[in-house]
Amino acid sequence: MLGTFSSLLNYPASAVAEKNGMTFVEPAGGAPNMFTRGFKHLFFAQPATAPHQADVFVDYLKALPEAERPKTAAYPTQDDPFATPVIESMQKQARGARGEDRLHLDLPGRHHELPDHRQPAR
């Protein structure tokens, strides 16, 4: 079976395929929970799992001269098992490149701090 383009859809479809001993190829759907079930017939054809989707972009940021690196970042996201690990990975890696433990969103005439949800509130 050839899967669809979403972890939300591939998760149940791959379970049906696995239960019936069918090979299931998913061309997209890199949520980490796709790969923790011990399936033997699930094959992933996407370039990288969700936590590594942002690696190329973060490597680009880290390669910029320090003066040209962004000083602030905003991470719009949605409650999605694929999007969340991508954003969390990008936050962790980019924070290391910026040396900050808080995220900021710059708006014209305003400066809003967005606390990292994994850090204690200050």
Side-chain angles (χ1 to χ4, degrees), residues 4-11 26-36 42-53 80-86:
T4 184
F5 289 90
S6 163
S7 296
L8 291 172
L9 298 174
N10 280 326
Y11 195 82
E26 59 166 319
N33 64 356
M34 287 293 301
F35 311 102
T36 59
L42 175 66
F43 293 90
F44 187 57
Q46 188 172 315
T49 58
H52 296 285
Q53 288 289 315
D80 177 277
F82 175 73
T84 300
V86 173

PDB file of all heavy atoms in Angstrom, residues 4-11 26-36 42-53 80-86:
ATOM      1  N   THR A   4      -0.535   8.092   2.434  1.00  0.00           N
ATOM      2  CA  THR A   4      -0.924   9.444   2.075  1.00  0.00           C
ATOM      3  C   THR A   4       0.133  10.439   2.557  1.00  0.00           C
ATOM      4  O   THR A   4       1.229  10.061   2.948  1.00  0.00           O
ATOM      5  CB  THR A   4      -2.318   9.748   2.651  1.00  0.00           C
ATOM      6  OG1 THR A   4      -2.730  11.033   2.207  1.00  0.00           O
ATOM      7  CG2 THR A   4      -2.335   9.702   4.152  1.00  0.00           C
ATOM      8  N   PHE A   5      -0.184  11.710   2.582  1.00  0.00           N
ATOM      9  CA  PHE A   5       0.764  12.752   2.945  1.00  0.00           C
ATOM     10  C   PHE A   5       0.413  13.405   4.273  1.00  0.00           C
ATOM     11  O   PHE A   5       0.270  14.605   4.357  1.00  0.00           O
ATOM     12  CB  PHE A   5       0.823  13.810   1.832  1.00  0.00           C
ATOM     13  CG  PHE A   5       1.496  13.284   0.610  1.00  0.00           C
ATOM     14  CD1 PHE A   5       0.764  12.655  -0.384  1.00  0.00           C
ATOM     15  CD2 PHE A   5       2.867  13.382   0.462  1.00  0.00           C
ATOM     16  CE1 PHE A   5       1.398  12.148  -1.510  1.00  0.00           C
ATOM     17  CE2 PHE A   5       3.504  12.873  -0.657  1.00  0.00           C
ATOM     18  CZ  PHE A   5       2.763  12.258  -1.644  1.00  0.00           C
ATOM     19  N   SER A   6       0.282  12.617   5.299  1.00  0.00           N
ATOM     20  CA  SER A   6      -0.033  13.171   6.611  1.00  0.00           C
ATOM     21  C   SER A   6       0.162  12.096   7.664  1.00  0.00           C
ATOM     22  O   SER A   6      -0.317  10.970   7.511  1.00  0.00           O
ATOM     23  CB  SER A   6      -1.491  13.653   6.628  1.00  0.00           C
ATOM     24  OG  SER A   6      -1.943  13.833   7.946  1.00  0.00           O
ATOM     25  N   SER A   7       0.833  12.450   8.741  1.00  0.00           N
ATOM     26  CA  SER A   7       0.957  11.507   9.857  1.00  0.00           C
ATOM     27  C   SER A   7      -0.411  11.165  10.420  1.00  0.00           C
ATOM     28  O   SER A   7      -0.664  10.017  10.796  1.00  0.00           O
ATOM     29  CB  SER A   7       1.827  12.111  10.966  1.00  0.00           C
ATOM     30  OG  SER A   7       3.138  12.314  10.519  1.00  0.00           O
ATOM     31  N   LEU A   8      -1.293  12.167  10.477  1.00  0.00           N
ATOM     32  CA  LEU A   8      -2.627  11.927  11.030  1.00  0.00           C
ATOM     33  C   LEU A   8      -3.382  10.857  10.239  1.00  0.00           C
ATOM     34  O   LEU A   8      -4.127  10.060  10.814  1.00  0.00           O
ATOM     35  CB  LEU A   8      -3.440  13.226  11.049  1.00  0.00           C
ATOM     36  CG  LEU A   8      -2.964  14.287  12.036  1.00  0.00           C
ATOM     37  CD1 LEU A   8      -3.717  15.586  11.833  1.00  0.00           C
ATOM     38  CD2 LEU A   8      -3.103  13.792  13.462  1.00  0.00           C
ATOM     39  N   LEU A   9      -3.190  10.821   8.930  1.00  0.00           N
ATOM     40  CA  LEU A   9      -3.859   9.821   8.103  1.00  0.00           C
ATOM     41  C   LEU A   9      -3.066   8.512   8.032  1.00  0.00           C
ATOM     42  O   LEU A   9      -3.644   7.428   8.001  1.00  0.00           O
ATOM     43  CB  LEU A   9      -4.083  10.371   6.690  1.00  0.00           C
ATOM     44  CG  LEU A   9      -4.985  11.596   6.592  1.00  0.00           C
ATOM     45  CD1 LEU A   9      -5.009  12.126   5.166  1.00  0.00           C
ATOM     46  CD2 LEU A   9      -6.391  11.272   7.071  1.00  0.00           C
ATOM     47  N   ASN A  10      -1.738   8.617   7.996  1.00  0.00           N
ATOM     48  CA  ASN A  10      -0.903   7.420   7.895  1.00  0.00           C
ATOM     49  C   ASN A  10      -0.902   6.587   9.165  1.00  0.00           C
ATOM     50  O   ASN A  10      -0.719   5.366   9.104  1.00  0.00           O
ATOM     51  CB  ASN A  10       0.539   7.795   7.535  1.00  0.00           C
ATOM     52  CG  ASN A  10       0.700   8.077   6.067  1.00  0.00           C
ATOM     53  OD1 ASN A  10       0.052   7.469   5.225  1.00  0.00           O
ATOM     54  ND2 ASN A  10       1.571   9.001   5.743  1.00  0.00           N
ATOM     55  N   TYR A  11      -1.097   7.210  10.312  1.00  0.00           N
ATOM     56  CA  TYR A  11      -1.059   6.473  11.573  1.00  0.00           C
ATOM     57  C   TYR A  11      -2.107   5.350  11.596  1.00  0.00           C
ATOM     58  O   TYR A  11      -1.749   4.186  11.773  1.00  0.00           O
ATOM     59  CB  TYR A  11      -1.230   7.436  12.748  1.00  0.00           C
ATOM     60  CG  TYR A  11      -0.840   6.834  14.074  1.00  0.00           C
ATOM     61  CD1 TYR A  11       0.488   6.780  14.473  1.00  0.00           C
ATOM     62  CD2 TYR A  11      -1.797   6.318  14.936  1.00  0.00           C
ATOM     63  CE1 TYR A  11       0.860   6.226  15.676  1.00  0.00           C
ATOM     64  CE2 TYR A  11      -1.438   5.758  16.146  1.00  0.00           C
ATOM     65  CZ  TYR A  11      -0.115   5.721  16.518  1.00  0.00           C
ATOM     66  OH  TYR A  11       0.249   5.162  17.720  1.00  0.00           O
ATOM     67  N   GLU A  26       5.015   5.072   3.289  1.00  0.00           N
ATOM     68  CA  GLU A  26       4.469   6.416   3.507  1.00  0.00           C
ATOM     69  C   GLU A  26       5.424   7.455   2.931  1.00  0.00           C
ATOM     70  O   GLU A  26       6.566   7.561   3.350  1.00  0.00           O
ATOM     71  CB  GLU A  26       4.176   6.677   4.981  1.00  0.00           C
ATOM     72  CG  GLU A  26       5.347   6.570   5.897  1.00  0.00           C
ATOM     73  CD  GLU A  26       5.062   7.160   7.254  1.00  0.00           C
ATOM     74  OE1 GLU A  26       4.430   8.215   7.353  1.00  0.00           O
ATOM     75  OE2 GLU A  26       5.501   6.560   8.224  1.00  0.00           O
ATOM     76  N   PRO A  27       4.966   8.214   1.918  1.00  0.00           N
ATOM     77  CA  PRO A  27       5.814   9.203   1.287  1.00  0.00           C
ATOM     78  C   PRO A  27       5.963  10.465   2.126  1.00  0.00           C
ATOM     79  O   PRO A  27       6.833  11.282   1.864  1.00  0.00           O
ATOM     80  CB  PRO A  27       5.093   9.506  -0.020  1.00  0.00           C
ATOM     81  CG  PRO A  27       3.669   9.179   0.265  1.00  0.00           C
ATOM     82  CD  PRO A  27       3.682   8.067   1.256  1.00  0.00           C
ATOM     83  N   ALA A  28       5.152  10.617   3.124  1.00  0.00           N
ATOM     84  CA  ALA A  28       5.235  11.736   4.064  1.00  0.00           C
ATOM     85  C   ALA A  28       4.476  11.311   5.312  1.00  0.00           C
ATOM     86  O   ALA A  28       3.568  10.493   5.252  1.00  0.00           O
ATOM     87  CB  ALA A  28       4.627  13.001   3.478  1.00  0.00           C
ATOM     88  N   GLY A  29       4.843  11.885   6.400  1.00  0.00           N
ATOM     89  CA  GLY A  29       4.230  11.525   7.670  1.00  0.00           C
ATOM     90  C   GLY A  29       5.326  11.175   8.650  1.00  0.00           C
ATOM     91  O   GLY A  29       5.472  10.030   9.040  1.00  0.00           O
ATOM     92  N   GLY A  30       6.132  12.170   9.016  1.00  0.00           N
ATOM     93  CA  GLY A  30       7.317  11.923   9.817  1.00  0.00           C
ATOM     94  C   GLY A  30       7.157  12.137  11.303  1.00  0.00           C
ATOM     95  O   GLY A  30       8.145  12.324  11.996  1.00  0.00           O
ATOM     96  N   ALA A  31       5.930  12.121  11.804  1.00  0.00           N
ATOM     97  CA  ALA A  31       5.753  12.259  13.254  1.00  0.00           C
ATOM     98  C   ALA A  31       6.465  11.109  13.959  1.00  0.00           C
ATOM     99  O   ALA A  31       6.371   9.957  13.534  1.00  0.00           O
ATOM    100  CB  ALA A  31       4.269  12.260  13.617  1.00  0.00           C
ATOM    101  N   PRO A  32       7.208  11.408  15.012  1.00  0.00           N
ATOM    102  CA  PRO A  32       7.962  10.355  15.695  1.00  0.00           C
ATOM    103  C   PRO A  32       7.115   9.160  16.131  1.00  0.00           C
ATOM    104  O   PRO A  32       7.586   8.024  16.091  1.00  0.00           O
ATOM    105  CB  PRO A  32       8.564  11.075  16.907  1.00  0.00           C
ATOM    106  CG  PRO A  32       8.704  12.491  16.455  1.00  0.00           C
ATOM    107  CD  PRO A  32       7.501  12.730  15.580  1.00  0.00           C
ATOM    108  N   ASN A  33       5.853   9.391  16.515  1.00  0.00           N
ATOM    109  CA  ASN A  33       5.033   8.267  16.984  1.00  0.00           C
ATOM    110  C   ASN A  33       4.698   7.262  15.882  1.00  0.00           C
ATOM    111  O   ASN A  33       4.241   6.157  16.173  1.00  0.00           O
ATOM    112  CB  ASN A  33       3.765   8.751  17.689  1.00  0.00           C
ATOM    113  CG  ASN A  33       2.814   9.499  16.790  1.00  0.00           C
ATOM    114  OD1 ASN A  33       3.106   9.737  15.616  1.00  0.00           O
ATOM    115  ND2 ASN A  33       1.686   9.897  17.335  1.00  0.00           N
ATOM    116  N   MET A  34       4.971   7.606  14.637  1.00  0.00           N
ATOM    117  CA  MET A  34       4.772   6.639  13.550  1.00  0.00           C
ATOM    118  C   MET A  34       5.731   5.460  13.685  1.00  0.00           C
ATOM    119  O   MET A  34       5.437   4.356  13.236  1.00  0.00           O
ATOM    120  CB  MET A  34       5.005   7.301  12.183  1.00  0.00           C
ATOM    121  CG  MET A  34       3.935   8.261  11.724  1.00  0.00           C
ATOM    122  SD  MET A  34       2.355   7.485  11.373  1.00  0.00           S
ATOM    123  CE  MET A  34       2.779   6.316  10.110  1.00  0.00           C
ATOM    124  N   PHE A  35       6.876   5.682  14.328  1.00  0.00           N
ATOM    125  CA  PHE A  35       7.961   4.709  14.306  1.00  0.00           C
ATOM    126  C   PHE A  35       8.235   4.056  15.656  1.00  0.00           C
ATOM    127  O   PHE A  35       9.237   3.386  15.824  1.00  0.00           O
ATOM    128  CB  PHE A  35       9.231   5.386  13.772  1.00  0.00           C
ATOM    129  CG  PHE A  35       8.956   6.149  12.508  1.00  0.00           C
ATOM    130  CD1 PHE A  35       8.820   7.520  12.538  1.00  0.00           C
ATOM    131  CD2 PHE A  35       8.770   5.484  11.301  1.00  0.00           C
ATOM    132  CE1 PHE A  35       8.536   8.230  11.384  1.00  0.00           C
ATOM    133  CE2 PHE A  35       8.480   6.180  10.150  1.00  0.00           C
ATOM    134  CZ  PHE A  35       8.364   7.554  10.185  1.00  0.00           C
ATOM    135  N   THR A  36       7.354   4.249  16.602  1.00  0.00           N
ATOM    136  CA  THR A  36       7.561   3.674  17.937  1.00  0.00           C
ATOM    137  C   THR A  36       6.676   2.457  18.195  1.00  0.00           C
ATOM    138  O   THR A  36       6.634   1.961  19.305  1.00  0.00           O
ATOM    139  CB  THR A  36       7.300   4.729  19.026  1.00  0.00           C
ATOM    140  OG1 THR A  36       5.953   5.205  18.901  1.00  0.00           O
ATOM    141  CG2 THR A  36       8.279   5.897  18.916  1.00  0.00           C
ATOM    142  N   LEU A  42       6.285  -1.235   7.715  1.00  0.00           N
ATOM    143  CA  LEU A  42       6.171   0.194   7.481  1.00  0.00           C
ATOM    144  C   LEU A  42       7.489   0.714   6.905  1.00  0.00           C
ATOM    145  O   LEU A  42       8.552   0.491   7.472  1.00  0.00           O
ATOM    146  CB  LEU A  42       5.863   0.925   8.795  1.00  0.00           C
ATOM    147  CG  LEU A  42       5.829   2.447   8.750  1.00  0.00           C
ATOM    148  CD1 LEU A  42       4.674   2.942   7.884  1.00  0.00           C
ATOM    149  CD2 LEU A  42       5.703   2.996  10.164  1.00  0.00           C
ATOM    150  N   PHE A  43       7.407   1.404   5.775  1.00  0.00           N
ATOM    151  CA  PHE A  43       8.591   1.972   5.134  1.00  0.00           C
ATOM    152  C   PHE A  43       8.385   3.469   4.930  1.00  0.00           C
ATOM    153  O   PHE A  43       7.368   3.901   4.409  1.00  0.00           O
ATOM    154  CB  PHE A  43       8.868   1.276   3.796  1.00  0.00           C
ATOM    155  CG  PHE A  43       9.267  -0.152   3.982  1.00  0.00           C
ATOM    156  CD1 PHE A  43       8.305  -1.143   4.003  1.00  0.00           C
ATOM    157  CD2 PHE A  43      10.598  -0.496   4.158  1.00  0.00           C
ATOM    158  CE1 PHE A  43       8.654  -2.476   4.201  1.00  0.00           C
ATOM    159  CE2 PHE A  43      10.961  -1.817   4.353  1.00  0.00           C
ATOM    160  CZ  PHE A  43       9.987  -2.808   4.378  1.00  0.00           C
ATOM    161  N   PHE A  44       9.376   4.233   5.327  1.00  0.00           N
ATOM    162  CA  PHE A  44       9.324   5.692   5.301  1.00  0.00           C
ATOM    163  C   PHE A  44      10.089   6.195   4.087  1.00  0.00           C
ATOM    164  O   PHE A  44      11.271   5.891   3.918  1.00  0.00           O
ATOM    165  CB  PHE A  44       9.953   6.209   6.596  1.00  0.00           C
ATOM    166  CG  PHE A  44       9.847   7.682   6.811  1.00  0.00           C
ATOM    167  CD1 PHE A  44       8.627   8.324   6.823  1.00  0.00           C
ATOM    168  CD2 PHE A  44      10.991   8.436   7.046  1.00  0.00           C
ATOM    169  CE1 PHE A  44       8.534   9.681   7.059  1.00  0.00           C
ATOM    170  CE2 PHE A  44      10.908   9.787   7.278  1.00  0.00           C
ATOM    171  CZ  PHE A  44       9.681  10.414   7.293  1.00  0.00           C
ATOM    172  N   ALA A  45       9.449   6.985   3.231  1.00  0.00           N
ATOM    173  CA  ALA A  45      10.080   7.463   2.003  1.00  0.00           C
ATOM    174  C   ALA A  45      10.319   8.973   2.012  1.00  0.00           C
ATOM    175  O   ALA A  45      10.754   9.525   1.018  1.00  0.00           O
ATOM    176  CB  ALA A  45       9.215   7.086   0.803  1.00  0.00           C
ATOM    177  N   GLN A  46      10.054   9.631   3.118  1.00  0.00           N
ATOM    178  CA  GLN A  46      10.269  11.071   3.247  1.00  0.00           C
ATOM    179  C   GLN A  46      11.758  11.327   3.492  1.00  0.00           C
ATOM    180  O   GLN A  46      12.439  10.474   4.060  1.00  0.00           O
ATOM    181  CB  GLN A  46       9.427  11.580   4.416  1.00  0.00           C
ATOM    182  CG  GLN A  46       9.393  13.064   4.575  1.00  0.00           C
ATOM    183  CD  GLN A  46       8.375  13.457   5.639  1.00  0.00           C
ATOM    184  OE1 GLN A  46       7.269  12.949   5.657  1.00  0.00           O
ATOM    185  NE2 GLN A  46       8.760  14.340   6.521  1.00  0.00           N
ATOM    186  N   PRO A  47      12.304  12.492   3.114  1.00  0.00           N
ATOM    187  CA  PRO A  47      13.735  12.740   3.289  1.00  0.00           C
ATOM    188  C   PRO A  47      14.220  12.683   4.741  1.00  0.00           C
ATOM    189  O   PRO A  47      15.348  12.323   4.984  1.00  0.00           O
ATOM    190  CB  PRO A  47      13.938  14.139   2.718  1.00  0.00           C
ATOM    191  CG  PRO A  47      12.796  14.348   1.788  1.00  0.00           C
ATOM    192  CD  PRO A  47      11.645  13.554   2.358  1.00  0.00           C
ATOM    193  N   ALA A  48      13.379  13.051   5.713  1.00  0.00           N
ATOM    194  CA  ALA A  48      13.795  13.032   7.118  1.00  0.00           C
ATOM    195  C   ALA A  48      12.564  12.983   8.008  1.00  0.00           C
ATOM    196  O   ALA A  48      11.484  13.423   7.616  1.00  0.00           O
ATOM    197  CB  ALA A  48      14.623  14.263   7.452  1.00  0.00           C
ATOM    198  N   THR A  49      12.742  12.457   9.217  1.00  0.00           N
ATOM    199  CA  THR A  49      11.647  12.470  10.180  1.00  0.00           C
ATOM    200  C   THR A  49      11.429  13.895  10.677  1.00  0.00           C
ATOM    201  O   THR A  49      12.289  14.765  10.512  1.00  0.00           O
ATOM    202  CB  THR A  49      11.940  11.544  11.374  1.00  0.00           C
ATOM    203  OG1 THR A  49      13.157  11.966  11.979  1.00  0.00           O
ATOM    204  CG2 THR A  49      12.002  10.094  10.949  1.00  0.00           C
ATOM    205  N   ALA A  50      10.294  14.127  11.298  1.00  0.00           N
ATOM    206  CA  ALA A  50       9.907  15.467  11.728  1.00  0.00           C
ATOM    207  C   ALA A  50      10.979  16.198  12.537  1.00  0.00           C
ATOM    208  O   ALA A  50      11.263  17.369  12.258  1.00  0.00           O
ATOM    209  CB  ALA A  50       8.590  15.407  12.504  1.00  0.00           C
ATOM    210  N   PRO A  51      11.612  15.559  13.524  1.00  0.00           N
ATOM    211  CA  PRO A  51      12.611  16.305  14.295  1.00  0.00           C
ATOM    212  C   PRO A  51      13.829  16.756  13.486  1.00  0.00           C
ATOM    213  O   PRO A  51      14.610  17.577  13.953  1.00  0.00           O
ATOM    214  CB  PRO A  51      13.036  15.314  15.381  1.00  0.00           C
ATOM    215  CG  PRO A  51      11.890  14.377  15.519  1.00  0.00           C
ATOM    216  CD  PRO A  51      11.332  14.258  14.122  1.00  0.00           C
ATOM    217  N   HIS A  52      13.990  16.259  12.262  1.00  0.00           N
ATOM    218  CA  HIS A  52      15.149  16.647  11.448  1.00  0.00           C
ATOM    219  C   HIS A  52      14.763  17.434  10.190  1.00  0.00           C
ATOM    220  O   HIS A  52      15.634  17.752   9.380  1.00  0.00           O
ATOM    221  CB  HIS A  52      15.961  15.403  11.074  1.00  0.00           C
ATOM    222  CG  HIS A  52      16.546  14.744  12.275  1.00  0.00           C
ATOM    223  ND1 HIS A  52      17.634  15.250  12.945  1.00  0.00           N
ATOM    224  CD2 HIS A  52      16.154  13.650  12.961  1.00  0.00           C
ATOM    225  CE1 HIS A  52      17.899  14.483  13.980  1.00  0.00           C
ATOM    226  NE2 HIS A  52      17.021  13.504  14.018  1.00  0.00           N
ATOM    227  N   GLN A  53      13.492  17.768  10.021  1.00  0.00           N
ATOM    228  CA  GLN A  53      13.063  18.528   8.850  1.00  0.00           C
ATOM    229  C   GLN A  53      13.699  19.917   8.799  1.00  0.00           C
ATOM    230  O   GLN A  53      13.970  20.435   7.730  1.00  0.00           O
ATOM    231  CB  GLN A  53      11.537  18.669   8.816  1.00  0.00           C
ATOM    232  CG  GLN A  53      10.799  17.397   8.488  1.00  0.00           C
ATOM    233  CD  GLN A  53      10.969  17.006   7.039  1.00  0.00           C
ATOM    234  OE1 GLN A  53      10.872  17.824   6.147  1.00  0.00           O
ATOM    235  NE2 GLN A  53      11.229  15.744   6.799  1.00  0.00           N
ATOM    236  N   ASP A  80      -0.313  19.596  15.860  1.00  0.00           N
ATOM    237  CA  ASP A  80      -0.219  18.560  14.841  1.00  0.00           C
ATOM    238  C   ASP A  80       0.969  17.670  15.188  1.00  0.00           C
ATOM    239  O   ASP A  80       2.036  18.182  15.521  1.00  0.00           O
ATOM    240  CB  ASP A  80      -0.020  19.229  13.476  1.00  0.00           C
ATOM    241  CG  ASP A  80       0.150  18.240  12.358  1.00  0.00           C
ATOM    242  OD1 ASP A  80       1.286  17.768  12.172  1.00  0.00           O
ATOM    243  OD2 ASP A  80      -0.836  17.951  11.664  1.00  0.00           O
ATOM    244  N   PRO A  81       0.836  16.351  15.106  1.00  0.00           N
ATOM    245  CA  PRO A  81       1.939  15.476  15.508  1.00  0.00           C
ATOM    246  C   PRO A  81       3.164  15.553  14.599  1.00  0.00           C
ATOM    247  O   PRO A  81       4.225  15.071  14.959  1.00  0.00           O
ATOM    248  CB  PRO A  81       1.323  14.076  15.465  1.00  0.00           C
ATOM    249  CG  PRO A  81       0.172  14.186  14.530  1.00  0.00           C
ATOM    250  CD  PRO A  81      -0.336  15.598  14.677  1.00  0.00           C
ATOM    251  N   PHE A  82       3.030  16.155  13.431  1.00  0.00           N
ATOM    252  CA  PHE A  82       4.189  16.351  12.562  1.00  0.00           C
ATOM    253  C   PHE A  82       4.789  17.735  12.773  1.00  0.00           C
ATOM    254  O   PHE A  82       5.983  17.878  12.938  1.00  0.00           O
ATOM    255  CB  PHE A  82       3.818  16.172  11.091  1.00  0.00           C
ATOM    256  CG  PHE A  82       4.971  16.490  10.172  1.00  0.00           C
ATOM    257  CD1 PHE A  82       6.038  15.628  10.062  1.00  0.00           C
ATOM    258  CD2 PHE A  82       5.004  17.662   9.458  1.00  0.00           C
ATOM    259  CE1 PHE A  82       7.127  15.923   9.249  1.00  0.00           C
ATOM    260  CE2 PHE A  82       6.078  17.976   8.643  1.00  0.00           C
ATOM    261  CZ  PHE A  82       7.141  17.091   8.537  1.00  0.00           C
ATOM    262  N   ALA A  83       3.949  18.766  12.775  1.00  0.00           N
ATOM    263  CA  ALA A  83       4.444  20.138  12.873  1.00  0.00           C
ATOM    264  C   ALA A  83       5.131  20.406  14.209  1.00  0.00           C
ATOM    265  O   ALA A  83       6.166  21.073  14.257  1.00  0.00           O
ATOM    266  CB  ALA A  83       3.303  21.132  12.671  1.00  0.00           C
ATOM    267  N   THR A  84       4.596  19.894  15.292  1.00  0.00           N
ATOM    268  CA  THR A  84       5.146  20.173  16.618  1.00  0.00           C
ATOM    269  C   THR A  84       6.598  19.719  16.751  1.00  0.00           C
ATOM    270  O   THR A  84       7.448  20.504  17.176  1.00  0.00           O
ATOM    271  CB  THR A  84       4.260  19.556  17.711  1.00  0.00           C
ATOM    272  OG1 THR A  84       2.951  20.127  17.597  1.00  0.00           O
ATOM    273  CG2 THR A  84       4.818  19.831  19.109  1.00  0.00           C
ATOM    274  N   PRO A  85       6.972  18.474  16.386  1.00  0.00           N
ATOM    275  CA  PRO A  85       8.392  18.101  16.507  1.00  0.00           C
ATOM    276  C   PRO A  85       9.322  18.917  15.609  1.00  0.00           C
ATOM    277  O   PRO A  85      10.466  19.163  15.975  1.00  0.00           O
ATOM    278  CB  PRO A  85       8.419  16.623  16.106  1.00  0.00           C
ATOM    279  CG  PRO A  85       7.036  16.138  16.232  1.00  0.00           C
ATOM    280  CD  PRO A  85       6.152  17.334  16.012  1.00  0.00           C
ATOM    281  N   VAL A  86       8.842  19.340  14.445  1.00  0.00           N
ATOM    282  CA  VAL A  86       9.666  20.166  13.551  1.00  0.00           C
ATOM    283  C   VAL A  86       9.976  21.493  14.241  1.00  0.00           C
ATOM    284  O   VAL A  86      11.127  21.925  14.308  1.00  0.00           O
ATOM    285  CB  VAL A  86       8.973  20.409  12.196  1.00  0.00           C
ATOM    286  CG1 VAL A  86       9.765  21.400  11.347  1.00  0.00           C
ATOM    287  CG2 VAL A  86       8.768  19.109  11.451  1.00  0.00           C
TER     288      VAL A  86
END
